[in-house]
Amino acid sequence: MRLAFILGEIGSGLRRNLSMVVSVILVTFISLTFVGAAGMLQLQINQMKGYWYDKVQVAVFLCVDTSTAASCASGPVTDEQRAEIKNTLDSPAVAQYVDTYLYESQEDALGHFRDQFANSPIVDSVTADQLPESFRVSLVDPEKYEVINEIFSSLPGVEVVVDQREILERVFNVMNIASLVAVSIAAIMIVCAILLIATTIRLSAFSRRRETGIMRLVGASKAVIQLPFVLEGVIAAVIGALLASVTLWAVARFFIGDWLAQQYPDTAFISEGSVLLIAPALILLGTVLAGISSLLTLRRYLKV
C-alpha cells in the first residue's frame, strides 16, 4: 500500500509539472553529455599518448642551401659530414640509446611531403632541394631525447634536432584545453539543472500542499511525505543521464568507430566500450545532484 501510494504520488507530480520535468531532462542531458565528452576526450588523449609515444622519432635535419641556422653557415651538408653523423649513430656510445634509424633523402622527403599535403595548393611549388635530408631515429627510451640532442646538435652539417613528442604535446595541449572548455560548459549547465530541479520540486510541493497537510494530520512519516518529491527529481535526472550515455555511445560507435577510424587508420581511437566506463559515473552524478538538490529544496519549502 505504501509503495503504491508513493508511486502514485510520483506519477501525479510528473504529470502536473510535465514541462518542467522535460526541461530538467534536457538540461541534465546536455550538461552530462559535456561531462561525458570531456571524459572521453581524456581517455582518447591517454590512449593516443600510449600509442604514439612508443612510435615517435627524433629527427636530425641536415643543412641545405636555404638553411638559416648558425650551424649551417658553411653551406649544405657534405658527404663527409653525413658519413660522420651516420658513424656517430653507429658508435657504441650512441647505439645504446638508439633502437633503429632511417636515412631520408631530399627526394624521400619530397615524396612524404606530397603524400601529406596532397590537397594543398602549395604541393606543386615545393621542390626536393628546398627540403632537408634527415636521419629518423627511434629511441630505446623516448625520455632520453636530450642525450641525442646534445650529441648531434653540435655536429657539423646538422641544422636542428627535433623531438616529435614536442609536436604531439602541442596537439595534446589543445585537446586538454578543449576538455577543460567542455567541463566548464558542463559545470554551468549542471548549475542550471540543479536550479531547475529545485524549481520543479518547489512547484510540485506547492501544488500538493493540501495532500501534504492531510498526510501530516494522519501521521505519515517525514520520509513517506518527502520521498515522492525526491524521486521525481531523481527520475528526471536519471533519464537525462541515460540519454547522455546513449548519445556518447552513438558518437563513439558511428563517428569515431565508423568514420574517424576509417579516415585515420594509423591512429588509435577509443571504442564504444569506453562509454561503459563513463555511463555509470554519469548516472551516479545525475542521481546525486538531483537527490541533494531535492532534499535541500524540501527542507526549505516543505515543512514536515
Side-chain angles (χ1 to χ4, degrees):
M1 290 293 292
R2 185 171 296 179
L3 178 61
F5 171 78
I6 292 175
L7 292 176
E9 288 295 301
I10 292 173
S12 174
L14 294 176
R15 287 192 300 271
R16 291 183 183 183
N17 302 290
L18 184 60
S19 60
M20 293 296 292
V21 170
V22 172
S23 299
V24 170
I25 292 173
L26 292 178
V27 174
T28 305
F29 158 61
I30 294 171
S31 60
L32 293 182
T33 298
F34 276 107
V35 173
M40 289 178 63
L41 195 53
Q42 286 300 314
L43 290 175
Q44 180 63 51
I45 291 171
N46 292 335
Q47 181 154 326
M48 289 179 68
K49 283 183 176 180
Y51 180 81
W52 284 109
Y53 277 179
D54 291 336
K55 297 179 180 293
V56 294
Q57 298 174 321
V58 174
V60 181
F61 290 104
L62 310 186
C63 297
V64 294
D65 289 326
T66 57
S67 298
T68 58
S71 58
C72 298
S74 59
V77 62
T78 64
D79 292 338
E80 291 77 12
Q81 290 171 342
R82 189 183 300 107
E84 181 184 355
I85 295 169
K86 184 178 183 303
N87 291 334
T88 303
L89 283 168
D90 292 328
S91 66
V94 177
Q96 60 180 317
Y97 302 107
V98 175
D99 185 17
T100 59
Y101 71 86
L102 176 69
Y103 170 72
E104 182 179 271
S105 66
Q106 290 180 300
E107 288 72 20
D108 293 334
L110 179 61
H112 294 155
F113 178 85
R114 287 176 174 172
D115 290 339
Q116 293 176 357
F117 298 93
N119 299 321
S120 174
I122 68 171
V123 68
D124 295 326
S125 62
V126 177
T127 58
D129 61 317
Q130 295 175 301
L131 300 174
E133 307 170 51
S134 63
F135 285 93
R136 305 287 176 155
V137 184
S138 298
L139 302 182
V140 175
D141 181 2
E143 299 293 335
K144 300 296 184 181
Y145 157 73
E146 288 299 335
V147 176
I148 301 299
N149 183 40
E150 291 176 5
I151 293 173
F152 287 93
S153 59
S154 59
L155 289 180
V158 175
E159 179 179 6
V160 66
V161 180
V162 176
D163 182 10
Q164 292 180 340
R165 289 204 312 163
E166 296 178 358
I167 301 173
L168 291 176
E169 285 294 344
R170 298 191 191 105
V171 176
F172 294 145
N173 287 338
V174 172
M175 295 176 71
N176 280 322
I177 291 173
S179 179
L180 290 176
V181 171
V183 170
S184 300
I185 296 174
I188 296 172
M189 297 303 296
I190 284 174
V191 172
C192 295
I194 291 173
L195 295 176
L196 265 176
I197 292 171
T199 302
T200 301
I201 299 303
R202 181 181 177 184
L203 290 175
S204 182
F206 179 79
S207 66
R208 284 184 280 172
R209 60 191 182 278
R210 179 177 299 177
E211 292 92 330
T212 303
I214 294 173
M215 291 171 66
R216 291 196 201 101
L217 293 175
V218 298
S221 67
K222 183 177 181 179
V224 170
I225 295 175
Q226 291 186 345
L227 188 58
F229 297 102
V230 174
L231 291 179
E232 287 175 23
V234 169
I235 289 172
V238 168
I239 293 174
L242 290 173
L243 290 176
S245 300
V246 171
T247 300
L248 293 172
W249 180 88
V251 169
R253 174 67 179 84
F254 299 107
F255 177 68
I256 298 178
D258 289 350
W259 188 75
L260 276 183
Q262 299 296 325
Q263 297 294 318
Y264 305 97
D266 295 332
T267 302
F269 290 106
I270 60 175
S271 66
E272 61 268 23
S274 302
V275 180
L276 299 178
L277 301 175
I278 299 175
L282 295 181
I283 296 172
L284 179 62
L285 178 60
T287 302
V288 170
L289 290 177
I292 294 175
S293 176
S294 301
L295 287 173
L296 293 178
T297 303
L298 290 172
R299 287 184 61 184
R300 180 173 182 181
Y301 294 106
L302 183 62
K303 304 300 182 182
V304 180

